[in-house]
């Protein structure tokens, strides 16, 4: 079978990735073999390919690429009970096993479920990681109907899903984006602040929650915007909390460095009577089921930046790397 593989780290994806002819994998007892119909990219994919995360993701080259996929179950391991051959499924693979840019992929069955029937393969693949990450974040902040949330970067893969999901939960949503994206992001259900023209810190009312998708100063700047008891949840930048540092399997030196990074955040939490949590997505069946149900309502629409053919994976990575995607980049495999 054909599979895209990372052959060396670097920003030049043409030099670092290749389509190889490899053996079709066989599922272990707790796995399914999926015939991939569509895959979607996330920023983590180009960060891995560039080598930015090699301290966390130890990979043997040639390495598998990308996490989000949808397709049809082609084989099931003998312990798998909830799926059968022919099922249409979607998933994001566990963080230690990218490799969906291939004609077939084996995935632990406990992170794979039936694709919502109202979605195409391309749409379903595009929702996997952004959906699960956002659901984890909204669970951790316990977002409630009527609360005010700021979701940064409303035009991104995460933002375009999160706006609609938070609206579905009944929250009032504020978001930031640049001028050319304002109109369509507004249609997703958010009050939009054009960060090219306005300072969002002056435009938002007192908030209950900030979903920080940008990191850096956006994390620290979130605290003064909150009402007492407010919550900041972050998925970007380097301010991991103790729990996520463990999850990454960081050694003592990194943990010490992370503790230093977190010190100003702890002070801000105290000063503003707020909480802070960093989320590192790890798929699980409970959230996948929640995501599937949310998507089946038909309320959340897919925002696809561009669809690429299987030959155009390098172009798709370059688009993702640009940081200017409007929603998801999807690769059609079958
Ligand atoms: N921790 C986790 O488990 C996890 C999981 C998924 C994603 N993430 C991280 O979350 C971040 C967002 O992911 P994503 O998939 O949404 O990325 P993305 O789709 O690549 O985001 C691109 C969007 O970001 C917007 N943007 C860039 N700078 C901005 C700014 N200063 N203000 C407002 N909008 C801005 C761009 O809009 P304009 O062109 O209008 O600027 C563009 O539409 C990434 O860092 C990713 O690695 C983490």
């Amino acid at each position: 079978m054909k599979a895209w593989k990372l052959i060396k780290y670097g920003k030049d994806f043409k030099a670092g990735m290749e389509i190889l002819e490899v053996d079709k994998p066989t599922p272990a007892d707790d796995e399914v073999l999926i015939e991939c119909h569509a895959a979607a990219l996330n920023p983590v994919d180009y960060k891995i390919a560039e080598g930015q995360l090699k301290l966390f993701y130890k990979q043997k080259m040639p390495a598998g690429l990308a996490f989000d996929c949808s397709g049809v179950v082609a084989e099931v391991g003998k312990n798998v009970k909830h799926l059968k051959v022919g099922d249409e499924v979607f998933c994001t693979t566990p963080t230690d096993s990218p490799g969906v840019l291939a004609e077939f992929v084996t995935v632990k069955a406990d992170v794979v479920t039936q694709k919502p029937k109202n979605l195409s393969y391309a749409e379903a693949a595009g929702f996997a990681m952004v959906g699960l990450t956002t659901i984890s974040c909204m669970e951790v902040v316990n977002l409630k109907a009527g609360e005010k949330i700021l979701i940064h970067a409303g035009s991104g893969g995460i933002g375009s899903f999160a706006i609609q999901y938070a609206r579905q939960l009944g929250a009032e949503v504020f978001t930031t984006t640049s001028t050319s994206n304002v109109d369509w992001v507004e249609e997703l259900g958010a009050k939009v602040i054009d960060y090219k023209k306005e300072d969002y810190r002056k435009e938002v009312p007192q908030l209950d929650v900030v979903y920080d998708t940008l990191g850096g100063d956006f994390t620290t700047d979130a605290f003064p915007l909150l009402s007492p008891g407010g919550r900041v949840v972050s998925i970007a930048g380097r301010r991991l909390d103790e729990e996520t540092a463990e999850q990454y399997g960081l050694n003592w030196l990194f943990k010490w460095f992370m503790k230093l990074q977190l010190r100003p955040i702890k002070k801000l939490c105290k000063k503003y009577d707020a909480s802070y949590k960093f989320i590192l997505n790890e798929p699980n069946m409970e959230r996948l089921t929640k995501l599937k149900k949310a998507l089946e309502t038909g309320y959340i629409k897919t925002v696809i930046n561009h669809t690429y053919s299987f030959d155009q994976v390098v172009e798709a990575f370059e688009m993702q790397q640009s940081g200017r995607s409007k929603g998801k980049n999807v690769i059609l495999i079958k």
Side-chain angles (χ1 to χ4, degrees), residues 149-155 163 173-183 185-186 190-205 207 218 225:
I149 181 172
L150 169 64
I151 297 169
H152 279 293
S155 52
I163 291 170
V173 182
F174 299 82
T175 194
T176 52
T177 194
S178 64
T179 316
S180 66
N181 291 322
V182 168
D183 291 346
V185 174
E186 219 155 45
K191 294 179 182 145
V192 180
I193 299 137
D194 178 348
Y195 73 83
K196 296 275 186 194
K197 296 184 178 158
E198 292 161 316
D199 179 347
Y200 74 92
R201 293 168 300 185
K202 296 188 180 134
E203 299 301 318
V204 291
L207 300 163
F218 293 95
L225 307 177

Side-chain angles (χ1 to χ4, degrees), residues 12 22 28 33 48 54 87 103 180 188 264-265 323:
D12 178 2
V22 296
L33 179 73
I48 290 175
K54 57 186 166 192
D87 280 353
E103 288 177 302
S180 66
L188 299 177
I265 300 289

Side-chain angles (χ1 to χ4, degrees), residues 41-44 46-47 129-130 133 152-160 176-181 184 195-196 211-214 218 234-237 248 278-282 319-320 322-329:
L41 296 188
N42 291 283
V44 69
Y46 82 77
K47 291 176 191 175
M129 188 183 292
V130 296
T133 307
H152 279 293
S155 52
I158 290 274
S160 56
T176 52
T177 194
S178 64
T179 316
S180 66
N181 291 322
W184 72 264
Y195 73 83
K196 296 275 186 194
Y211 186 11
D212 166 29
T213 63
L214 292 168
F218 293 95
S234 180
I235 56 167
Y248 260 125
F278 189 96
I279 290 289
L280 178 63
N281 180 57
E282 197 58 71
M319 179 69 233
Q320 197 64 57
S322 75
R324 300 273 80 88
S325 301
K326 303 173 199 297
K328 300 299 301 177
N329 294 300

Side-chain angles (χ1 to χ4, degrees), residues 35-99:
E35 182 174 26
C36 301
H37 283 231
L41 296 188
N42 291 283
V44 69
D45 300 319
Y46 82 77
K47 291 176 191 175
I48 290 175
E50 285 182 353
Q52 283 189 40
L53 303 176
K54 57 186 166 192
L55 286 170
F56 310 122
Y57 291 95
K58 293 177 187 64
Q59 285 170 305
K60 230 176 86 195
M61 306 286 178
L65 284 162
F67 298 89
D68 286 354
C69 96
S70 66
V72 174
V73 175
E75 285 176 43
V76 290
K78 70 171 191 245
N79 296 340
V80 178
K81 302 286 177 240
H82 69 291
L83 295 170
K84 58 180 186 324
V85 171
D87 280 353
E88 297 183 346
V89 292
F90 81 128
C91 66
T92 186
T93 64
T95 40
D96 62 356
S97 45

